[in-house]
Amino acid sequence: MNIQQIDKSKAAELSRLAKAIYVEHYLHLWYPGGAEWYMNEYAYPEAKLQAELADPNNLHYIVYDDKGLPEGYLKLKLRSECDACENKIGLEIERIYLHKDLTGKGIGRQLMELSEAVARQYDQHFLFLKAMDTSLEAIGFYQKMGYTECGRLVLPFENMKETYRGMVILCKTI
């Protein structure tokens, strides 16, 4: 595996990758048409990703396999506000996505360790992320990495099933 930081020239590749991974993990969250809206209009359209990639507050990384195929990605916000956290400003791990067949192989741990290294590089001593409160396996993984719950929120998406709108905010001081 090779983890590479990317720029806006990779927006199309990131859009395809994000949608492919999203389909593997999250279609069950939505009422009909909701996932398509989320992927194609809200979160992963190429133009939106180009803007995110051009923003110096965001860092994006793609995980490539030995053949150079994209297998996952990480999005970090260097300075982000967390209303539920004692330390209001920190590095946010906004997205950490891997294809299903890569879970449990240590790549998530590498991405979390990379996130902490980036936080140190940018003199941030507080990290946080949001996870679905129904994703108990992911929450357990983050807790093993030293994160603790510091808040909760509910997603505002009307076309998302109510059962899946709850989020846990997890934080860690380094």
Side-chain angles (χ1 to χ4, degrees):
M1 290 292 150
N2 180 16
I3 302 169
Q4 293 181 9
Q5 186 174 346
I6 61 167
D7 61 25
K8 66 182 184 175
S9 69
K10 297 283 188 171
E13 179 179 19
L14 180 58
S15 177
R16 286 188 302 274
L17 175 63
K19 290 173 186 178
I21 292 173
Y22 199 87
V23 165
E24 290 179 14
H25 292 277
Y26 300 114
L27 292 183
H28 67 282
L29 309 178
W30 300 93
Y31 293 117
E36 291 77 14
W37 164 82
Y38 183 82
M39 290 186 297
N40 298 316
E41 296 176 40
Y42 181 79
Y44 309 123
E46 186 177 338
K48 180 172 184 179
L49 294 177
Q50 279 185 340
E52 288 181 4
L53 285 158
D55 181 345
N57 193 47
N58 296 323
L59 298 179
H60 292 75
Y61 301 84
I62 291 183
V63 178
Y64 293 96
D65 69 9
D66 296 338
K67 297 175 185 168
L69 299 174
E71 297 287 351
Y73 78 100
L74 172 69
K75 178 187 178 190
L76 304 176
K77 288 181 105 174
L78 296 174
R79 290 187 50 80
S80 187
E81 188 169 349
C82 179
D83 292 333
C85 306
E86 186 176 313
N87 299 323
K88 295 289 185 194
I89 303 291
L91 183 139
E92 180 178 3
I93 302 169
E94 189 169 321
R95 293 199 178 98
I96 181 168
Y97 283 9
L98 294 170
H99 280 298
K100 268 191 174 182
D101 62 344
L102 290 183
T103 57
K105 297 188 176 185
I107 299 163
R109 175 176 294 279
Q110 288 178 37
L111 293 174
M112 295 298 287
E113 290 169 352
L114 172 62
S115 301
E116 291 182 22
V118 169
R120 286 185 188 94
Q121 177 184 346
Y122 286 89
D123 203 27
Q124 292 284 356
H125 303 284
F126 172 71
L127 295 94
F128 70 98
L129 59 90
K130 299 167 189 157
M132 301 182 71
D133 64 6
T134 55
S135 297
L136 301 180
E137 191 173 317
I139 292 169
F141 167 72
Y142 298 132
Q143 289 171 333
K144 284 182 190 174
M145 296 296 301
Y147 287 74
T148 58
E149 183 177 330
C150 60
R152 291 183 173 258
L153 63 94
V154 177
L155 294 172
F157 304 128
E158 292 178 14
N159 48 4
M160 178 182 267
K161 296 174 185 174
E162 292 82 1
T163 305
Y164 299 110
R165 291 185 193 173
M167 301 289 284
V168 176
I169 303 168
L170 299 153
C171 57
K172 180 177 182 177
T173 302
I174 55 171

PDB file of all heavy atoms in Angstrom, residues 107-134:
ATOM      1  N   ILE A 107      -4.701  -0.868   7.517  1.00  0.00           N
ATOM      2  CA  ILE A 107      -4.609   0.362   6.730  1.00  0.00           C
ATOM      3  C   ILE A 107      -5.296   1.518   7.442  1.00  0.00           C
ATOM      4  O   ILE A 107      -4.800   2.646   7.447  1.00  0.00           O
ATOM      5  CB  ILE A 107      -5.172   0.143   5.318  1.00  0.00           C
ATOM      6  CG1 ILE A 107      -4.341  -0.945   4.617  1.00  0.00           C
ATOM      7  CG2 ILE A 107      -5.167   1.435   4.514  1.00  0.00           C
ATOM      8  CD1 ILE A 107      -4.990  -1.552   3.416  1.00  0.00           C
ATOM      9  N   GLY A 108      -6.421   1.245   8.071  1.00  0.00           N
ATOM     10  CA  GLY A 108      -7.099   2.268   8.863  1.00  0.00           C
ATOM     11  C   GLY A 108      -6.193   2.802   9.966  1.00  0.00           C
ATOM     12  O   GLY A 108      -6.118   4.008  10.199  1.00  0.00           O
ATOM     13  N   ARG A 109      -5.477   1.906  10.612  1.00  0.00           N
ATOM     14  CA  ARG A 109      -4.525   2.310  11.652  1.00  0.00           C
ATOM     15  C   ARG A 109      -3.438   3.220  11.064  1.00  0.00           C
ATOM     16  O   ARG A 109      -3.080   4.232  11.650  1.00  0.00           O
ATOM     17  CB  ARG A 109      -3.905   1.079  12.304  1.00  0.00           C
ATOM     18  CG  ARG A 109      -2.811   1.406  13.326  1.00  0.00           C
ATOM     19  CD  ARG A 109      -2.300   0.169  14.017  1.00  0.00           C
ATOM     20  NE  ARG A 109      -3.306  -0.456  14.849  1.00  0.00           N
ATOM     21  CZ  ARG A 109      -3.627  -0.058  16.074  1.00  0.00           C
ATOM     22  NH1 ARG A 109      -3.008   0.967  16.618  1.00  0.00           N
ATOM     23  NH2 ARG A 109      -4.547  -0.687  16.771  1.00  0.00           N
ATOM     24  N   GLN A 110      -2.939   2.866   9.892  1.00  0.00           N
ATOM     25  CA  GLN A 110      -1.924   3.704   9.240  1.00  0.00           C
ATOM     26  C   GLN A 110      -2.471   5.098   8.948  1.00  0.00           C
ATOM     27  O   GLN A 110      -1.768   6.092   9.144  1.00  0.00           O
ATOM     28  CB  GLN A 110      -1.456   3.058   7.937  1.00  0.00           C
ATOM     29  CG  GLN A 110      -0.593   1.835   8.106  1.00  0.00           C
ATOM     30  CD  GLN A 110      -0.206   1.239   6.764  1.00  0.00           C
ATOM     31  OE1 GLN A 110       0.032   1.951   5.802  1.00  0.00           O
ATOM     32  NE2 GLN A 110      -0.149  -0.075   6.704  1.00  0.00           N
ATOM     33  N   LEU A 111      -3.719   5.162   8.497  1.00  0.00           N
ATOM     34  CA  LEU A 111      -4.317   6.465   8.199  1.00  0.00           C
ATOM     35  C   LEU A 111      -4.544   7.275   9.470  1.00  0.00           C
ATOM     36  O   LEU A 111      -4.356   8.499   9.475  1.00  0.00           O
ATOM     37  CB  LEU A 111      -5.626   6.274   7.421  1.00  0.00           C
ATOM     38  CG  LEU A 111      -5.464   5.700   6.019  1.00  0.00           C
ATOM     39  CD1 LEU A 111      -6.828   5.417   5.395  1.00  0.00           C
ATOM     40  CD2 LEU A 111      -4.632   6.617   5.133  1.00  0.00           C
ATOM     41  N   MET A 112      -4.921   6.610  10.544  1.00  0.00           N
ATOM     42  CA  MET A 112      -5.097   7.320  11.825  1.00  0.00           C
ATOM     43  C   MET A 112      -3.744   7.831  12.334  1.00  0.00           C
ATOM     44  O   MET A 112      -3.641   8.958  12.829  1.00  0.00           O
ATOM     45  CB  MET A 112      -5.755   6.411  12.852  1.00  0.00           C
ATOM     46  CG  MET A 112      -7.181   6.006  12.500  1.00  0.00           C
ATOM     47  SD  MET A 112      -8.333   7.377  12.397  1.00  0.00           S
ATOM     48  CE  MET A 112      -8.515   7.773  14.132  1.00  0.00           C
ATOM     49  N   GLU A 113      -2.710   7.016  12.200  1.00  0.00           N
ATOM     50  CA  GLU A 113      -1.364   7.438  12.621  1.00  0.00           C
ATOM     51  C   GLU A 113      -0.864   8.586  11.742  1.00  0.00           C
ATOM     52  O   GLU A 113      -0.226   9.521  12.243  1.00  0.00           O
ATOM     53  CB  GLU A 113      -0.407   6.248  12.595  1.00  0.00           C
ATOM     54  CG  GLU A 113      -0.707   5.240  13.701  1.00  0.00           C
ATOM     55  CD  GLU A 113       0.039   3.926  13.565  1.00  0.00           C
ATOM     56  OE1 GLU A 113       0.712   3.689  12.530  1.00  0.00           O
ATOM     57  OE2 GLU A 113      -0.069   3.112  14.511  1.00  0.00           O
ATOM     58  N   LEU A 114      -1.152   8.546  10.460  1.00  0.00           N
ATOM     59  CA  LEU A 114      -0.803   9.641   9.561  1.00  0.00           C
ATOM     60  C   LEU A 114      -1.522  10.917  10.012  1.00  0.00           C
ATOM     61  O   LEU A 114      -0.922  11.996  10.033  1.00  0.00           O
ATOM     62  CB  LEU A 114      -1.170   9.300   8.117  1.00  0.00           C
ATOM     63  CG  LEU A 114      -1.029  10.429   7.100  1.00  0.00           C
ATOM     64  CD1 LEU A 114       0.412  10.917   6.996  1.00  0.00           C
ATOM     65  CD2 LEU A 114      -1.547   9.981   5.736  1.00  0.00           C
ATOM     66  N   SER A 115      -2.778  10.800  10.375  1.00  0.00           N
ATOM     67  CA  SER A 115      -3.552  11.959  10.846  1.00  0.00           C
ATOM     68  C   SER A 115      -2.890  12.599  12.059  1.00  0.00           C
ATOM     69  O   SER A 115      -2.779  13.831  12.149  1.00  0.00           O
ATOM     70  CB  SER A 115      -4.981  11.539  11.198  1.00  0.00           C
ATOM     71  OG  SER A 115      -5.630  10.986  10.082  1.00  0.00           O
ATOM     72  N   GLU A 116      -2.439  11.785  12.988  1.00  0.00           N
ATOM     73  CA  GLU A 116      -1.764  12.312  14.180  1.00  0.00           C
ATOM     74  C   GLU A 116      -0.432  12.962  13.809  1.00  0.00           C
ATOM     75  O   GLU A 116      -0.069  14.005  14.368  1.00  0.00           O
ATOM     76  CB  GLU A 116      -1.577  11.210  15.214  1.00  0.00           C
ATOM     77  CG  GLU A 116      -2.890  10.775  15.824  1.00  0.00           C
ATOM     78  CD  GLU A 116      -2.751   9.714  16.897  1.00  0.00           C
ATOM     79  OE1 GLU A 116      -1.644   9.579  17.487  1.00  0.00           O
ATOM     80  OE2 GLU A 116      -3.752   9.027  17.168  1.00  0.00           O
ATOM     81  N   ALA A 117       0.299  12.378  12.881  1.00  0.00           N
ATOM     82  CA  ALA A 117       1.572  12.964  12.434  1.00  0.00           C
ATOM     83  C   ALA A 117       1.326  14.325  11.783  1.00  0.00           C
ATOM     84  O   ALA A 117       2.073  15.279  12.022  1.00  0.00           O
ATOM     85  CB  ALA A 117       2.284  12.012  11.474  1.00  0.00           C
ATOM     86  N   VAL A 118       0.282  14.415  10.970  1.00  0.00           N
ATOM     87  CA  VAL A 118      -0.063  15.690  10.331  1.00  0.00           C
ATOM     88  C   VAL A 118      -0.457  16.708  11.399  1.00  0.00           C
ATOM     89  O   VAL A 118      -0.041  17.875  11.333  1.00  0.00           O
ATOM     90  CB  VAL A 118      -1.194  15.501   9.291  1.00  0.00           C
ATOM     91  CG1 VAL A 118      -1.738  16.837   8.815  1.00  0.00           C
ATOM     92  CG2 VAL A 118      -0.680  14.678   8.111  1.00  0.00           C
ATOM     93  N   ALA A 119      -1.224  16.275  12.386  1.00  0.00           N
ATOM     94  CA  ALA A 119      -1.605  17.193  13.469  1.00  0.00           C
ATOM     95  C   ALA A 119      -0.364  17.760  14.148  1.00  0.00           C
ATOM     96  O   ALA A 119      -0.270  18.971  14.372  1.00  0.00           O
ATOM     97  CB  ALA A 119      -2.503  16.476  14.479  1.00  0.00           C
ATOM     98  N   ARG A 120       0.583  16.915  14.447  1.00  0.00           N
ATOM     99  CA  ARG A 120       1.828  17.384  15.086  1.00  0.00           C
ATOM    100  C   ARG A 120       2.589  18.342  14.166  1.00  0.00           C
ATOM    101  O   ARG A 120       3.107  19.362  14.603  1.00  0.00           O
ATOM    102  CB  ARG A 120       2.702  16.195  15.457  1.00  0.00           C
ATOM    103  CG  ARG A 120       2.210  15.417  16.645  1.00  0.00           C
ATOM    104  CD  ARG A 120       3.192  14.302  17.046  1.00  0.00           C
ATOM    105  NE  ARG A 120       2.626  13.467  18.062  1.00  0.00           N
ATOM    106  CZ  ARG A 120       1.964  12.325  17.837  1.00  0.00           C
ATOM    107  NH1 ARG A 120       1.833  11.871  16.598  1.00  0.00           N
ATOM    108  NH2 ARG A 120       1.466  11.616  18.830  1.00  0.00           N
ATOM    109  N   GLN A 121       2.641  17.999  12.895  1.00  0.00           N
ATOM    110  CA  GLN A 121       3.347  18.836  11.922  1.00  0.00           C
ATOM    111  C   GLN A 121       2.752  20.241  11.879  1.00  0.00           C
ATOM    112  O   GLN A 121       3.479  21.220  11.711  1.00  0.00           O
ATOM    113  CB  GLN A 121       3.257  18.184  10.540  1.00  0.00           C
ATOM    114  CG  GLN A 121       3.896  18.978   9.421  1.00  0.00           C
ATOM    115  CD  GLN A 121       3.678  18.313   8.063  1.00  0.00           C
ATOM    116  OE1 GLN A 121       3.281  17.159   7.963  1.00  0.00           O
ATOM    117  NE2 GLN A 121       3.946  19.057   7.014  1.00  0.00           N
ATOM    118  N   TYR A 122       1.441  20.348  12.034  1.00  0.00           N
ATOM    119  CA  TYR A 122       0.758  21.641  11.981  1.00  0.00           C
ATOM    120  C   TYR A 122       0.469  22.198  13.377  1.00  0.00           C
ATOM    121  O   TYR A 122      -0.353  23.087  13.540  1.00  0.00           O
ATOM    122  CB  TYR A 122      -0.522  21.527  11.153  1.00  0.00           C
ATOM    123  CG  TYR A 122      -0.238  21.438   9.681  1.00  0.00           C
ATOM    124  CD1 TYR A 122      -0.037  20.209   9.065  1.00  0.00           C
ATOM    125  CD2 TYR A 122      -0.136  22.585   8.905  1.00  0.00           C
ATOM    126  CE1 TYR A 122       0.241  20.121   7.713  1.00  0.00           C
ATOM    127  CE2 TYR A 122       0.146  22.509   7.549  1.00  0.00           C
ATOM    128  CZ  TYR A 122       0.327  21.284   6.962  1.00  0.00           C
ATOM    129  OH  TYR A 122       0.610  21.203   5.621  1.00  0.00           O
ATOM    130  N   ASP A 123       1.173  21.656  14.384  1.00  0.00           N
ATOM    131  CA  ASP A 123       1.078  22.133  15.770  1.00  0.00           C
ATOM    132  C   ASP A 123      -0.351  22.075  16.314  1.00  0.00           C
ATOM    133  O   ASP A 123      -0.783  22.959  17.044  1.00  0.00           O
ATOM    134  CB  ASP A 123       1.655  23.554  15.887  1.00  0.00           C
ATOM    135  CG  ASP A 123       2.090  23.865  17.306  1.00  0.00           C
ATOM    136  OD1 ASP A 123       2.440  22.925  18.043  1.00  0.00           O
ATOM    137  OD2 ASP A 123       2.040  25.047  17.692  1.00  0.00           O
ATOM    138  N   GLN A 124      -1.053  21.033  15.936  1.00  0.00           N
ATOM    139  CA  GLN A 124      -2.385  20.768  16.492  1.00  0.00           C
ATOM    140  C   GLN A 124      -2.241  19.629  17.498  1.00  0.00           C
ATOM    141  O   GLN A 124      -1.647  18.599  17.185  1.00  0.00           O
ATOM    142  CB  GLN A 124      -3.372  20.357  15.387  1.00  0.00           C
ATOM    143  CG  GLN A 124      -3.720  21.446  14.428  1.00  0.00           C
ATOM    144  CD  GLN A 124      -4.691  22.453  15.028  1.00  0.00           C
ATOM    145  OE1 GLN A 124      -5.171  22.323  16.143  1.00  0.00           O
ATOM    146  NE2 GLN A 124      -4.965  23.493  14.277  1.00  0.00           N
ATOM    147  N   HIS A 125      -2.799  19.807  18.677  1.00  0.00           N
ATOM    148  CA  HIS A 125      -2.673  18.785  19.718  1.00  0.00           C
ATOM    149  C   HIS A 125      -4.003  18.132  20.048  1.00  0.00           C
ATOM    150  O   HIS A 125      -4.109  17.366  20.987  1.00  0.00           O
ATOM    151  CB  HIS A 125      -2.049  19.402  20.968  1.00  0.00           C
ATOM    152  CG  HIS A 125      -0.718  20.020  20.688  1.00  0.00           C
ATOM    153  ND1 HIS A 125       0.415  19.252  20.510  1.00  0.00           N
ATOM    154  CD2 HIS A 125      -0.344  21.293  20.483  1.00  0.00           C
ATOM    155  CE1 HIS A 125       1.441  20.051  20.233  1.00  0.00           C
ATOM    156  NE2 HIS A 125       1.005  21.288  20.205  1.00  0.00           N
ATOM    157  N   PHE A 126      -5.016  18.452  19.240  1.00  0.00           N
ATOM    158  CA  PHE A 126      -6.356  17.934  19.448  1.00  0.00           C
ATOM    159  C   PHE A 126      -6.914  17.469  18.107  1.00  0.00           C
ATOM    160  O   PHE A 126      -6.852  18.196  17.112  1.00  0.00           O
ATOM    161  CB  PHE A 126      -7.230  19.052  20.043  1.00  0.00           C
ATOM    162  CG  PHE A 126      -8.678  18.711  20.131  1.00  0.00           C
ATOM    163  CD1 PHE A 126      -9.139  17.790  21.047  1.00  0.00           C
ATOM    164  CD2 PHE A 126      -9.593  19.318  19.289  1.00  0.00           C
ATOM    165  CE1 PHE A 126     -10.481  17.477  21.118  1.00  0.00           C
ATOM    166  CE2 PHE A 126     -10.930  19.014  19.353  1.00  0.00           C
ATOM    167  CZ  PHE A 126     -11.383  18.088  20.276  1.00  0.00           C
ATOM    168  N   LEU A 127      -7.418  16.237  18.078  1.00  0.00           N
ATOM    169  CA  LEU A 127      -8.031  15.673  16.874  1.00  0.00           C
ATOM    170  C   LEU A 127      -9.446  15.226  17.206  1.00  0.00           C
ATOM    171  O   LEU A 127      -9.715  14.812  18.336  1.00  0.00           O
ATOM    172  CB  LEU A 127      -7.260  14.451  16.371  1.00  0.00           C
ATOM    173  CG  LEU A 127      -5.851  14.646  15.881  1.00  0.00           C
ATOM    174  CD1 LEU A 127      -4.858  14.401  16.983  1.00  0.00           C
ATOM    175  CD2 LEU A 127      -5.571  13.720  14.728  1.00  0.00           C
ATOM    176  N   PHE A 128     -10.320  15.285  16.222  1.00  0.00           N
ATOM    177  CA  PHE A 128     -11.660  14.741  16.419  1.00  0.00           C
ATOM    178  C   PHE A 128     -12.214  14.212  15.110  1.00  0.00           C
ATOM    179  O   PHE A 128     -11.714  14.524  14.034  1.00  0.00           O
ATOM    180  CB  PHE A 128     -12.598  15.778  17.057  1.00  0.00           C
ATOM    181  CG  PHE A 128     -12.986  16.925  16.168  1.00  0.00           C
ATOM    182  CD1 PHE A 128     -14.199  16.914  15.487  1.00  0.00           C
ATOM    183  CD2 PHE A 128     -12.159  18.035  16.022  1.00  0.00           C
ATOM    184  CE1 PHE A 128     -14.567  17.978  14.689  1.00  0.00           C
ATOM    185  CE2 PHE A 128     -12.527  19.104  15.218  1.00  0.00           C
ATOM    186  CZ  PHE A 128     -13.736  19.078  14.548  1.00  0.00           C
ATOM    187  N   LEU A 129     -13.226  13.383  15.228  1.00  0.00           N
ATOM    188  CA  LEU A 129     -13.911  12.809  14.082  1.00  0.00           C
ATOM    189  C   LEU A 129     -15.344  12.515  14.475  1.00  0.00           C
ATOM    190  O   LEU A 129     -15.679  12.497  15.658  1.00  0.00           O
ATOM    191  CB  LEU A 129     -13.201  11.546  13.585  1.00  0.00           C
ATOM    192  CG  LEU A 129     -13.045  10.402  14.581  1.00  0.00           C
ATOM    193  CD1 LEU A 129     -14.230   9.460  14.518  1.00  0.00           C
ATOM    194  CD2 LEU A 129     -11.771   9.636  14.279  1.00  0.00           C
ATOM    195  N   LYS A 130     -16.163  12.273  13.467  1.00  0.00           N
ATOM    196  CA  LYS A 130     -17.563  11.924  13.687  1.00  0.00           C
ATOM    197  C   LYS A 130     -17.802  10.558  13.083  1.00  0.00           C
ATOM    198  O   LYS A 130     -17.345  10.272  11.976  1.00  0.00           O
ATOM    199  CB  LYS A 130     -18.476  12.972  13.044  1.00  0.00           C
ATOM    200  CG  LYS A 130     -18.269  14.351  13.621  1.00  0.00           C
ATOM    201  CD  LYS A 130     -18.930  15.407  12.773  1.00  0.00           C
ATOM    202  CE  LYS A 130     -18.503  16.790  13.272  1.00  0.00           C
ATOM    203  NZ  LYS A 130     -18.638  17.806  12.249  1.00  0.00           N
ATOM    204  N   ALA A 131     -18.516   9.715  13.829  1.00  0.00           N
ATOM    205  CA  ALA A 131     -18.846   8.370  13.356  1.00  0.00           C
ATOM    206  C   ALA A 131     -20.333   8.122  13.600  1.00  0.00           C
ATOM    207  O   ALA A 131     -20.903   8.633  14.573  1.00  0.00           O
ATOM    208  CB  ALA A 131     -18.018   7.324  14.098  1.00  0.00           C
ATOM    209  N   MET A 132     -20.931   7.348  12.746  1.00  0.00           N
ATOM    210  CA  MET A 132     -22.342   7.004  12.937  1.00  0.00           C
ATOM    211  C   MET A 132     -22.482   6.212  14.233  1.00  0.00           C
ATOM    212  O   MET A 132     -21.700   5.295  14.485  1.00  0.00           O
ATOM    213  CB  MET A 132     -22.838   6.203  11.750  1.00  0.00           C
ATOM    214  CG  MET A 132     -22.698   6.958  10.453  1.00  0.00           C
ATOM    215  SD  MET A 132     -23.330   6.031   9.079  1.00  0.00           S
ATOM    216  CE  MET A 132     -25.056   6.135   9.463  1.00  0.00           C
ATOM    217  N   ASP A 133     -23.479   6.569  15.040  1.00  0.00           N
ATOM    218  CA  ASP A 133     -23.630   5.886  16.328  1.00  0.00           C
ATOM    219  C   ASP A 133     -24.036   4.422  16.177  1.00  0.00           C
ATOM    220  O   ASP A 133     -23.928   3.646  17.123  1.00  0.00           O
ATOM    221  CB  ASP A 133     -24.568   6.655  17.262  1.00  0.00           C
ATOM    222  CG  ASP A 133     -26.000   6.756  16.765  1.00  0.00           C
ATOM    223  OD1 ASP A 133     -26.361   6.142  15.743  1.00  0.00           O
ATOM    224  OD2 ASP A 133     -26.778   7.481  17.422  1.00  0.00           O
ATOM    225  N   THR A 134     -24.444   4.013  14.989  1.00  0.00           N
ATOM    226  CA  THR A 134     -24.764   2.612  14.731  1.00  0.00           C
ATOM    227  C   THR A 134     -23.539   1.825  14.232  1.00  0.00           C
ATOM    228  O   THR A 134     -23.620   0.605  14.090  1.00  0.00           O
ATOM    229  CB  THR A 134     -25.897   2.501  13.683  1.00  0.00           C
ATOM    230  OG1 THR A 134     -25.513   3.218  12.502  1.00  0.00           O
ATOM    231  CG2 THR A 134     -27.200   3.066  14.229  1.00  0.00           C
TER     232      THR A 134
END
